[in-house]
Amino acid sequence: ISYAPFWDTLKKSGESTYTLIQKHSISSSTIDRLRNNKGISTQTIDDLCRILKCRVEDILLYIE
């Protein structure tokens, strides 16, 4: 799983990692997991989609 689409979506949204942490209570460890393409929960994916008003495909990309 690659979270490369997340960074593009974040940039387009006007939000930043700072606002995700401070305003939306996304943990800094979650941001670190996204940076390093490590697993995150489906609840976190749901939260990110809600915050960024996007679809799952705008957050992650499955690569075989």
Side-chain angles (χ1 to χ4, degrees), residues 7-20:
W7 300 105
D8 293 331
T9 302
L10 183 64
K11 192 177 288 185
K12 292 174 189 173
S13 75
E15 297 283 348
S16 67
T17 55
Y18 178 81
T19 61
L20 290 177

Side-chain angles (χ1 to χ4, degrees), residues 36-51:
N36 293 297
N37 292 319
K38 294 186 177 178
I40 59 174
S41 72
T42 53
Q43 179 61 53
T44 301
I45 294 169
D46 182 56
D47 291 342
L48 291 171
C49 287
R50 181 181 40 78
I51 293 165

Side-chain angles (χ1 to χ4, degrees), residues 19-34:
T19 61
L20 290 177
I21 294 166
Q22 297 298 319
K23 182 179 173 188
H24 300 289
S25 301
I26 301 294
S27 72
S28 57
S29 63
T30 296
I31 300 298
D32 186 60
R33 294 183 74 74
L34 288 163

